[in-house]
Amino acid sequence: MADLKPIVLGGADERDLTKLAEYEAIGGYTTLAKARRALPQAIVEELLTSGLRGRGGAFFATGRKWSFIPKPDQNPNPHYLVVNADESEPGSFKDHEILARVPHRFIEGCLITAHAVEARHIFVYVRGEYLGPFEVLRDALEEIRERTDILGDATIIVHRGAGAYICGEETALLESLEGKRGQPRSKPPFPAISGLYASPTVVNNVETLATVPPILQMGGEKYAQLGVENSTGTRVVSLSGNLERGGNYEVAHGITLRELIYDVGGGIPGGRQLKAVIPGGSSTVILAADEIDVSYDYDSLAQVGTAMGSAGVIAIDDRCCMVQLGIRVSEFYEHESCGKCTPCREGTRWMTQMLRKLEAGEATETELDLLLDVCDRINGKCLCPLGETAAMAVASYVDKFRAEFIAHLEGGCPFGSDSPLDAVLAPVAQHTHSPVAVVPA
Amino acid sequence: MSSLHEEIQGVRAQYPDPASATLPALRLAQERYGWLSPEVFREVAEALEETPAFCMSVASFYDMFHLKPVGRHLVEVCTNVSCALRGAQQVLEAFEEELNVKAGETSEDGFATVRTVECLGGCGWATIVALDHRYRMNVQPGDVSAIVEELQANG
Amino acid sequence: MSAGVSAPELVKLRIDGVEVEVPRGTGLVETAAVAGLEIPVFCYEPRLGPPIGACRMCLVEVEGIPKLQAGCTLTAQPDMVVRTAAASAKAAEGQDATLEFILVNHPLDCPVCDKGGECPLQDLTFRWGPGQTRMTFPKRTFDKPIPISPTIALDRERCILCYRCTRFSENVAEDGQLVAANRGAMSLITTFEDEPYCAPFSGNVIELCPVGALTSTQYRFQGRPWEIQNVPSICGLCPVGCNISATTREGKVRRILSRNHPEVDQGWLCDKGRFTYPHLYATDRIHEPLERVRRRGLGELSWNDALDRAEDLLRGAGGRVVTALSGSETLEQAYGLGKLLRQGLGAHSAVLPEATSDALDAFRAPLSAIARAEHVVVIGDERVADRAPIVDLWIRQARRNGARVDNVFEPRLDEELERRVRDSDRVILVWSGRAGGGGARLAELAHRLGLEGKDGSAAFHLPATPNGRGVAAAWAASADGEEKNPEPINLLIVSGDEAAADPAVRALAEQAEKVLAITMFQGLAVGWADLVLPGTSYLERDGTFVNLEGRIQRLRRTVIPPAPDELAWIARLAERFAVGLSPHSSVVFAELSGLLYGEELSYDDLGERAPLPPRSAFEPPQPAPTAPIPPLTTPPEEHFLGNLRLQRFRPLFSGPAVERVPELQFQRPPAEVELASEDAERRRIATGDTVSVRSNGSALALRASVRKDIPPGVARVAQEHAGDLGAAVEVARMSNPSSPEGRGTA
């Protein structure tokens, strides 16, 4: 791992790549110039060869996504490139670092992509809380404002969000970008056909786009040799939780979860033991401590019933109560649910209510099974993945730590205030907006 | 200095469809007035050529818009999983104590609003506290009184 | 849509093993219905726009797709294999789950909820949902019910957040007043700051709401669905003639619902048509005939005596009789009156508030054609929503479908607009204003623009009365004979409340020696009439109306009126003058239709949703106008500071019936003067300022409303607030500006 030359974050340790001059000094924007001389189709091909898959969480083949954009004779509307910089998945903060440290590489990626999908308007939807990265990006764009050799005929608009996790879902993002409440749309139609302003739109993650210039520079084939089959290349993994060295680290697919936690992350501090790992942000199925000898790649994690998601690895040590974890995670989804579809809107709150009752030691085993049944009833019924991943995540805590849940039935929480998640105040219990609804705990 | 109306027209003109200006317009109004009162919604609505009900409907969907008055300073402590595992609840309670205010509320003298928020995107640098939207990393309970002093020094 | 006509491609698919063939692209819910199967829905309503797939009630299994799909978002595709809850355990579980989640926080209000018995949530829970609850936690509660307007109550606990009401407000009525606030489980439906939902179509959300969250305050606790009858009829308050059902219980009208004629009203009603029925029970409703007794005011008399008096008045008039018609009589009533007066007395003279014409029959089309237009031009200075509200909804739909909509105030098109019209396919012209000659001017224009030859093109004139054209035609058909304006008038017959409330008719009455008024309410003609015969409402008559499309529609008596139907006593009076007239409207209709259309029609021929007669050939309207059309705005050279042309207009919520409905008073127009931005700016007036409006020694203080949709040189004031103002007015600021920034465009 120490030998791996970073690709997305390459050069950022040695130079201040937020500055245009520094970025150009290492060849920045020359790939763009070359790409502009190539046919859009050629760039799409190169991306297909590279095997790059979306780094936002869905892991959809990037080249393939771009190829869905219709030809002008099929659809006369203008094309749009929309960047999903709404990173809000608990455990994931890689885009934060990418925007803050290699904004120009990211911008170059956007411009190359715009050329490849024949879009002239680029919208960067940055989550509202990311004031720091927004300012860095804004300054970087200011630096190239007069550089028509870089911008060409493209326009880049940075559009700040205002605090809603659901706007990370691509169609909800588009709704928000169109000035409305950020509620997801039914698909089909897919954004490639009818996205922003009912026009063909490509929505890509920050990291995905920041990977584009390096891919074209080294060549798709070379990139595909990194990583493993079906999960080529490198990615920036976020490490957090009970770890010595939390942070963002660029690694190649194929590293194991154990290596990530102990070698890269430095292991569990305070002499404690690892209890569980959330492998890809809170929307992923949890793994127990004995399940971490798995390769960090799409297929391997799918085989053990979980996913890489947005590559946010959270290490949890043995102080933590799993029921409390369930509560906190359920509260997150309850707070962030957009309210459009019934199972998520009602189900996430119901899940939280049941978990709280379990934590208080007031539930029965029937109610524990009811919780699982409710999770099952949410799964596969929702308009978008929010409700479903909430249900799957919580169900996995029960599944992997059932004994702990059972222990709560008999005598309440065995961890109590030793657990760092004990009585953690969550926004949903705070009612910041008009508290017209009286929601009993 | 241009009026809010003029600023909003400028923003509308940047987009292919001016309807996209809702969030930026609300943000501009909130920066100007501190929070989005009914009067402010009327003003924004007029500039956007929308109804006040529409503007309020959009604003109330998003966590960063304040539909009630807030303090001069906004202290937001992330208590999601990664930060909670590193003691975010204790950081939150330390702020409550130092500023003499309960989470979700504004101190009596209007100095600060303290609230807990969901994942701010700094998980490996837990606990993250956003002070007037600027992130402080690796905050421990012991750091809180110095942070509050700093805030108070800035007025 | 392409201009050419092509047969839609049919596709075959299987639903629950049943093979069905439908046009490609048909919604799956409708496709299932064709197969006799149900896909239950809540949020799905095609009139609100594309399906949103929010409620998840319609989950079905589609072969080849592992995850359950929202059936309402799917369309019929070739060789699709679908299994609904009836045939798929997975889909059944999904629908059961949806209902369980909806019910988790839904209050057990059925015993006290008006929706009970006609509630889709109840019905679907019985058919597809759980029999018991597993929810043991306290449900979330709200203050309830909240009046979001005097006519609509909102119960947020019952709301299932299907978003039908907000989508209606945003995407159909486009008033943007009813919205969703907050997010997730905290979401709720609300207006802005507890302001009432004040918009002409607000009541439709009551019918749209699939639960008892949005209910009618007028109908609250009025009856259960098994205790009522729904009588099909037609609304008689404006010339659209929306198809309605009157819900009756124990002989009283309790509410009005839409009956949905897809070509006329698409299932919508305006609030006037929906909420005005209480005028039937106004405290000043006249039940018995009244006659003027010198020095003792008015006294009641029996019907026999009243008819004797009427006969005396008629005989004593020596033929110098003028009949002032309201234009809201039924065809049969107008024909009956005509026969009595014209055949029986030679009294041919009648006045109607507006001119009528058959010229537009050459450009006839259903109102639904507006939605498919490429170009809509609205001509005139009256708002479409004031004259024919549903037409406003059709025009909005056209715009949402991509049509270009132009509004012109002058009754002529400038060169550029005319060129555009000629270049467009599917052109719709709408005349909404005065001086239209009942459609004659528009017909001439449409003919000149070659609209007969254009596919999907049509022209509509919006009359000021609900049945003016029908009334004029019926009167004309009732006898031959020249109309002579008798001078002086011996007897003025005032037919209907609108005529009784009309200042012009009142002025005529001053000149007449005697007045016989047919009116529902004391407050109107009773002060100046000699004999008053109690009138009936459109809800109490059998008969027909002709709407602005030229469609003949049948009204039904929904409740028995407190006084006899007009036709009944007109027939008895007619007998005394040796005129044969049946008291039965169906017989009269047959006779009249024979005269008007060359064949005797029955009500059955009209059916429950009346068809539109075909177009006739264009005939230049007679007589051609000799005087030039007066300009609607003051030309610039005559315009000097201070002088604006006053336009009095009749708002939608006006008239004797509306005035007697307490819950509708909040929709009445405020005491306002509407000004164009240019004129307001020049006078430093902003919206909300109090301004003085003066002319001829008469001065009024009114609130200013600056608008973008009226031309400079015009000041608009609702008729009821215009007092004695003259034709030209001076408008000036009276108070300090209300907004420091000085921009007050509405």
Side-chain angles (χ1 to χ4, degrees), chain C residues 443-463:
Chain C
E444 286 162 358
L445 178 62
H447 175 70
R448 198 162 59 71
L449 294 170
L451 253 53
E452 296 109 301
K454 261 195 223 280
D455 265 338
S457 299
F460 298 98
H461 170 85
L462 304 186

Short mmCIF file of all heavy atoms in Angstrom, two decimals, chain C residues 443-463:
data_model
loop_
_atom_site.label_atom_id
_atom_site.label_comp_id
_atom_site.label_asym_id
_atom_site.label_seq_id
_atom_site.Cartn_x
_atom_site.Cartn_y
_atom_site.Cartn_z
N ALA C 443 -66.19 35.30 -34.56
CA ALA C 443 -66.40 34.44 -35.73
C ALA C 443 -65.81 35.09 -36.98
O ALA C 443 -65.18 34.43 -37.81
CB ALA C 443 -67.89 34.17 -35.91
N GLU C 444 -66.01 36.37 -37.09
CA GLU C 444 -65.44 37.07 -38.25
C GLU C 444 -63.93 36.94 -38.24
O GLU C 444 -63.31 36.68 -39.28
CB GLU C 444 -65.83 38.55 -38.21
CG GLU C 444 -67.28 38.80 -38.56
CD GLU C 444 -67.76 40.18 -38.11
OE1 GLU C 444 -66.98 40.94 -37.48
OE2 GLU C 444 -68.93 40.49 -38.37
N LEU C 445 -63.34 37.16 -37.07
CA LEU C 445 -61.89 37.07 -36.96
C LEU C 445 -61.41 35.66 -37.28
O LEU C 445 -60.45 35.45 -38.03
CB LEU C 445 -61.45 37.47 -35.55
CG LEU C 445 -59.96 37.38 -35.24
CD1 LEU C 445 -59.18 38.33 -36.14
CD2 LEU C 445 -59.69 37.70 -33.78
N ALA C 446 -62.09 34.67 -36.70
CA ALA C 446 -61.69 33.28 -36.92
C ALA C 446 -61.78 32.92 -38.39
O ALA C 446 -60.94 32.20 -38.93
CB ALA C 446 -62.56 32.35 -36.08
N HIS C 447 -62.83 33.43 -39.04
CA HIS C 447 -63.00 33.14 -40.46
C HIS C 447 -61.87 33.77 -41.26
O HIS C 447 -61.29 33.14 -42.15
CB HIS C 447 -64.36 33.67 -40.91
CG HIS C 447 -64.60 33.53 -42.37
ND1 HIS C 447 -64.80 32.31 -42.98
CD2 HIS C 447 -64.66 34.44 -43.37
CE1 HIS C 447 -64.98 32.48 -44.26
NE2 HIS C 447 -64.89 33.77 -44.53
N ARG C 448 -61.56 35.01 -40.92
CA ARG C 448 -60.51 35.72 -41.64
C ARG C 448 -59.16 34.99 -41.48
O ARG C 448 -58.34 34.97 -42.38
CB ARG C 448 -60.40 37.14 -41.09
CG ARG C 448 -59.67 38.09 -42.02
CD ARG C 448 -59.98 39.54 -41.65
NE ARG C 448 -59.60 39.87 -40.28
CZ ARG C 448 -58.34 40.00 -39.86
NH1 ARG C 448 -57.36 39.85 -40.71
NH2 ARG C 448 -58.08 40.29 -38.60
N LEU C 449 -58.95 34.40 -40.32
CA LEU C 449 -57.68 33.70 -40.08
C LEU C 449 -57.69 32.26 -40.60
O LEU C 449 -56.72 31.54 -40.43
CB LEU C 449 -57.38 33.68 -38.58
CG LEU C 449 -57.09 35.05 -37.96
CD1 LEU C 449 -57.04 34.94 -36.44
CD2 LEU C 449 -55.78 35.61 -38.47
N GLY C 450 -58.81 31.89 -41.20
CA GLY C 450 -58.86 30.58 -41.84
C GLY C 450 -58.94 29.42 -40.86
O GLY C 450 -58.46 28.32 -41.16
N LEU C 451 -59.58 29.63 -39.74
CA LEU C 451 -59.59 28.59 -38.73
C LEU C 451 -60.44 27.38 -39.09
O LEU C 451 -60.24 26.29 -38.57
CB LEU C 451 -60.07 29.15 -37.38
CG LEU C 451 -58.97 29.31 -36.31
CD1 LEU C 451 -57.80 30.11 -36.83
CD2 LEU C 451 -59.53 29.93 -35.06
N GLU C 452 -61.45 27.56 -39.98
CA GLU C 452 -62.28 26.39 -40.31
C GLU C 452 -61.46 25.27 -40.89
O GLU C 452 -61.76 24.10 -40.69
CB GLU C 452 -63.36 26.70 -41.36
CG GLU C 452 -64.41 27.69 -40.93
CD GLU C 452 -64.22 28.97 -41.67
OE1 GLU C 452 -63.14 29.57 -41.56
OE2 GLU C 452 -65.14 29.39 -42.39
N GLY C 453 -60.45 25.66 -41.64
CA GLY C 453 -59.67 24.64 -42.33
C GLY C 453 -58.58 24.02 -41.47
O GLY C 453 -57.98 23.04 -41.86
N LYS C 454 -58.31 24.58 -40.31
CA LYS C 454 -57.20 24.09 -39.49
C LYS C 454 -57.67 23.01 -38.53
O LYS C 454 -58.59 23.21 -37.76
CB LYS C 454 -56.64 25.25 -38.65
CG LYS C 454 -55.42 25.90 -39.22
CD LYS C 454 -54.79 26.74 -38.12
CE LYS C 454 -54.34 28.09 -38.64
NZ LYS C 454 -53.06 27.99 -39.33
N ASP C 455 -56.96 21.88 -38.57
CA ASP C 455 -57.26 20.81 -37.62
C ASP C 455 -57.10 21.27 -36.19
O ASP C 455 -56.18 22.02 -35.87
CB ASP C 455 -56.24 19.67 -37.82
CG ASP C 455 -56.82 18.61 -38.73
OD1 ASP C 455 -58.06 18.54 -38.85
OD2 ASP C 455 -56.02 17.87 -39.33
N GLY C 456 -57.98 20.80 -35.34
CA GLY C 456 -57.80 21.05 -33.91
C GLY C 456 -57.95 22.50 -33.52
O GLY C 456 -57.57 22.89 -32.42
N SER C 457 -58.50 23.32 -34.42
CA SER C 457 -58.67 24.73 -34.11
C SER C 457 -60.11 25.04 -33.80
O SER C 457 -61.02 24.36 -34.28
CB SER C 457 -58.20 25.58 -35.29
OG SER C 457 -56.84 25.34 -35.54
N ALA C 458 -60.33 26.07 -33.01
CA ALA C 458 -61.69 26.41 -32.61
C ALA C 458 -61.70 27.82 -32.06
O ALA C 458 -60.64 28.42 -31.82
CB ALA C 458 -62.20 25.44 -31.53
N ALA C 459 -62.89 28.34 -31.83
CA ALA C 459 -63.04 29.66 -31.22
C ALA C 459 -64.17 29.61 -30.21
O ALA C 459 -65.22 29.02 -30.47
CB ALA C 459 -63.33 30.71 -32.29
N PHE C 460 -63.94 30.20 -29.06
CA PHE C 460 -64.95 30.22 -28.00
C PHE C 460 -65.21 31.66 -27.58
O PHE C 460 -64.29 32.42 -27.31
CB PHE C 460 -64.45 29.45 -26.76
CG PHE C 460 -64.18 27.99 -27.01
CD1 PHE C 460 -62.89 27.55 -27.27
CD2 PHE C 460 -65.22 27.07 -27.00
CE1 PHE C 460 -62.64 26.20 -27.50
CE2 PHE C 460 -64.97 25.73 -27.22
CZ PHE C 460 -63.68 25.29 -27.48
N HIS C 461 -66.49 31.98 -27.49
CA HIS C 461 -66.88 33.26 -26.91
C HIS C 461 -67.37 32.98 -25.51
O HIS C 461 -68.16 32.06 -25.29
CB HIS C 461 -67.99 33.88 -27.76
CG HIS C 461 -68.63 35.08 -27.13
ND1 HIS C 461 -68.12 36.35 -27.26
CD2 HIS C 461 -69.71 35.21 -26.35
CE1 HIS C 461 -68.87 37.21 -26.60
NE2 HIS C 461 -69.85 36.54 -26.03
N LEU C 462 -66.88 33.74 -24.52
CA LEU C 462 -67.31 33.51 -23.15
C LEU C 462 -68.45 34.47 -22.82
O LEU C 462 -68.22 35.67 -22.66
CB LEU C 462 -66.15 33.73 -22.17
CG LEU C 462 -64.89 32.90 -22.43
CD1 LEU C 462 -63.88 33.11 -21.31
CD2 LEU C 462 -65.20 31.43 -22.60
N PRO C 463 -69.68 33.97 -22.75
CA PRO C 463 -70.80 34.88 -22.48
C PRO C 463 -70.78 35.36 -21.03
O PRO C 463 -70.05 34.83 -20.20
CB PRO C 463 -72.03 34.00 -22.73
CG PRO C 463 -71.53 32.73 -23.32
CD PRO C 463 -70.10 32.60 -22.95
#
